Amino acid sequence: MHYLNISFSHKNSTMEIREKLSYPDDEHLHACLSKLNESEAISESILISTCNRMEIFCSCSDIVAATQHIFEKLTARAGISMEELEGRADIFDDSSAIHHLFSVASSLDSMVVGETQIAGQLKDAFRFSYDKGHCGQKLARAMHNAFKCAAQVRNATDISSKPVSIASVAVAKLKSVLESVEGKKALVIGIGEMSEITAKHLVSNGADVYIMNRTKETAFVLAAECGAKVLDFDQLSKVVNEFEILFTATSAPGAIITDEIIKSCDFDRYWFDLALPRDINYHKGERINLYQIDDLRTIVDENKGLREDEARKAHTIVGRATVAFFEWLDTLNIEPMIKDIYSKAYEAAKIESDRVIKNKYIPKEYEQEIRKMSEQVIKRFLHDMTSKMRSVSQDSKSDMITGAMQFLIKNEKQELPDKYKCEHALNVAQKGSK
């Protein structure tokens, strides 16, 4: 079994490429994961699609065949040549794939190092794949340890001491070009995490904020949380030109603001498109200053410089966690454990045989027969148990079983593990059983 990760991110791909590779809704995401797992080389898959990255993380039996299959599906989906995709993608396998996953979860691979959104996005991607049956034990093991590593990074460094996100960077950019946002009308379209962060920042700085979303009820919820007002989404074309400040971060499959609805105004406008695919398709020169995700790199680079020391500490933690993960995987091999069980049982049988012969309970000339009988009893007793251990070695509960057996047969002190799978997988399974 191998781990494989194919990554397209802000580091290796333009916004146009990432846009074509994005999966804006669950239906397309489910279809893609189904097609990926059609390959005989791939057993489990997770796909994460955000404004800054599209990554496929899978468990496979053949890295070359799995990689080829993934690129074929992406080429068919995005209409981008395989040569270009292969030239842009970062491809990680086995230890490098786990190291990359841990780095992503710890926000070390993010455009804004230390941002807090990526861990939640990764958890959502895993939960979706697990719930739809596209991944199971193998990737759950890796994801559990990725979240564990991310927690260690947060606790041991100050990299996330001042939570930063693309949304907060966008607001910082706005404040750098305007003397003040106090009293200015601002429209926030969408109700996701980026929209929430943006709206709260704007309200706290005195802006007159309006929330707009296709589902008006959810817009009211966000508006109540941050002290904003609500506009009907179907009023977008009528009101969009009234706002000097606009932030949009929806999951729409295509642009919601286009040249057709943009009109001339006698004031400068500052619009931020934080969506991928992009929400704004604009080509006119109507005094609009349009900022997109990749336009925020200057502030992002400054953020990286301030956090370099903490990032180095975090990378050390990620490296150690990667090594520890593979050491732990080695302990889950069932055959050495069965061999250890038999070895300890035979040793106990020999000690007892020696004792009864030494005390002359049985004549010494029967020594070989006694030992042979003891070993046969042990084999008969352990046969059913070890057969069941082998049969569940690929089962979802095998990690817990092997952990319990390790606790029982090891001489050194160690804690009895309560779970070895990702806690989020357990939560999904528990919900499904109710």
Side-chain angles (χ1 to χ4, degrees):
M1 187 272 291
H2 302 279
Y3 287 111
L4 173 65
N5 187 298
I6 295 180
S7 171
F8 297 90
S9 71
H10 61 280
K11 291 183 175 182
N12 60 29
S13 302
T14 64
M15 182 177 292
E16 287 75 19
I17 294 294
R18 302 199 307 273
E19 197 169 45
K20 291 179 180 179
L21 290 169
S22 65
Y23 289 83
D25 58 63
D26 291 350
E27 182 179 353
H28 286 91
L29 182 58
H30 175 58
C32 177
L33 288 166
S34 297
K35 291 177 181 177
L36 291 177
N37 285 0
E38 287 175 356
S39 170
E40 292 183 359
I42 298 175
S43 58
E44 300 179 19
S45 298
I46 294 172
L47 189 152
I48 178 169
S49 179
T50 73
C51 57
N52 284 326
R53 68 181 63 251
M54 193 290 288
E55 299 199 4
I56 292 171
F57 180 53
C58 67
S59 169
C60 62
S61 58
D62 186 323
I63 292 174
V64 174
T67 302
Q68 178 73 13
H69 179 74
I70 290 171
F71 279 128
E72 287 175 355
K73 297 304 177 184
L74 293 182
T75 293
R77 152 78 179 171
I80 304 172
S81 70
M82 191 174 298
E83 290 75 15
E84 181 169 6
L85 290 178
E86 290 174 340
R88 290 185 176 276
D90 287 324
I91 303 174
F92 308 94
D93 59 73
D94 292 331
S95 61
S96 64
I98 294 299
H99 187 279
H100 178 70
L101 173 67
F102 288 8
S103 297
V104 170
S106 302
S107 80
L108 296 178
D109 196 64
S110 298
M111 179 183 287
V112 182
V113 175
E115 58 94 0
T116 55
Q117 283 182 294
I118 187 62
Q121 292 167 336
L122 198 57
K123 288 176 183 178
D124 289 342
F126 168 71
R127 183 182 293 276
F128 179 86
S129 182
Y130 187 94
D131 188 46
K132 297 295 184 180
H134 301 301
C135 75
Q137 180 195 58
K138 296 180 180 68
L139 295 191
R141 289 169 173 168
M143 297 300 290
H144 167 71
N145 282 273
F147 300 139
K148 181 180 177 182
C149 176
Q152 290 173 341
V153 168
R154 288 195 302 271
N155 293 333
T157 72
D158 292 328
I159 200 166
S160 298
S161 59
K162 295 179 180 179
V164 180
S165 67
I166 289 293
S168 59
V169 169
V171 173
K173 179 64 178 179
L174 173 66
K175 292 167 71 175
S176 73
V177 296
L178 289 178
E179 290 185 5
S180 173
V181 299
E182 187 171 0
K184 296 185 183 297
K185 288 183 67 176
L187 176 62
V188 177
I189 307 176
I191 48 86
E193 187 175 358
M194 282 204 286
S195 296
E196 179 181 349
I197 293 170
T198 301
K200 288 180 177 178
H201 273 294
L202 291 171
V203 169
S204 67
N205 283 277
D208 184 16
V209 179
Y210 292 78
I211 307 293
M212 180 180 285
N213 192 57
R214 289 187 186 278
T215 306
K216 193 173 182 180
E217 291 76 11
T218 55
F220 275 114
V221 173
L222 177 56
E225 287 182 5
C226 60
K229 304 162 190 174
V230 175
L231 287 174
D232 288 331
F233 188 84
D234 57 14
Q235 296 294 307
L236 177 61
S237 61
K238 297 179 181 179
V239 304
V240 68
N241 296 289
E242 299 176 9
F243 290 89
E244 182 177 353
I245 299 168
L246 181 147
F247 286 80
T248 180
T250 77
S251 58
I256 59 173
I257 299 174
T258 61
D259 290 330
E260 286 73 22
I261 66 172
I262 297 174
K263 298 179 180 179
S264 298
C265 293
D266 59 359
F267 56 86
D268 290 326
R269 288 176 276 184
Y270 301 89
W271 289 2
F272 291 80
D273 187 350
L274 306 182
L276 199 77
R278 285 169 286 185
D279 282 335
I280 302 175
N281 186 4
Y282 163 73
H283 302 93
K284 294 181 180 178
E286 302 293 356
R287 298 179 66 178
I288 295 175
N289 300 279
L290 177 60
Y291 300 93
Q292 298 171 331
I293 292 168
D294 286 1
D295 296 323
L296 305 174
R297 287 185 179 272
T298 301
I299 298 177
V300 167
D301 290 341
E302 291 174 0
N303 169 268
K304 287 181 179 178
L306 293 172
R307 298 179 180 222
E308 279 184 359
D309 290 341
E310 296 305 308
R312 279 194 289 270
K313 296 178 187 176
H315 279 295
T316 299
I317 295 171
V318 169
R320 290 173 179 168
T322 301
V323 172
F325 174 71
F326 282 97
E327 288 177 345
W328 172 71
L329 278 186
D330 288 341
T331 69
L332 298 180
N333 191 332
I334 207 77
E335 291 304 327
M337 193 178 304
I338 291 175
K339 183 178 179 180
D340 196 19
I341 291 172
Y342 273 99
S343 178
K344 288 182 178 296
Y346 288 156
E347 182 182 353
K350 182 179 182 303
I351 292 172
E352 189 61 20
S353 297
D354 290 344
R355 186 186 70 83
V356 297
I357 291 172
K358 180 179 179 181
N359 292 330
K360 299 182 179 180
Y361 298 141
I362 295 176
K364 186 172 177 58
E365 57 265 28
Y366 293 111
E367 180 177 1
Q368 294 300 321
E369 286 78 3
I370 288 297
R371 288 185 178 172
K372 184 176 181 180
M373 183 189 73
S374 299
E375 291 179 1
Q376 288 299 324
V377 170
I378 288 169
K379 289 179 180 179
R380 185 175 295 275
F381 173 74
L382 292 177
H383 175 74
D384 287 344
M385 181 179 69
T386 54
S387 294
K388 288 179 180 178
M389 288 176 66
R390 289 188 176 96
S391 69
V392 300
S393 63
Q394 299 301 319
D395 192 271
S396 60
K397 59 188 176 184
S398 69
D399 292 354
M400 187 179 295
I401 293 172
T402 53
M405 293 305 300
Q406 288 168 356
F407 172 79
L408 293 173
I409 66 177
K410 296 292 184 182
N411 292 323
E412 63 271 17
K413 292 182 179 180
Q414 60 181 42
E415 294 182 0
L416 176 63
D418 57 350
K419 57 190 174 186
Y420 276 107
K421 295 195 304 169
C422 177
E423 64 271 27
H424 303 283
L426 289 173
N427 291 340
V428 172
Q430 289 166 357
K431 289 179 181 179
S433 63
K434 290 180 180 179

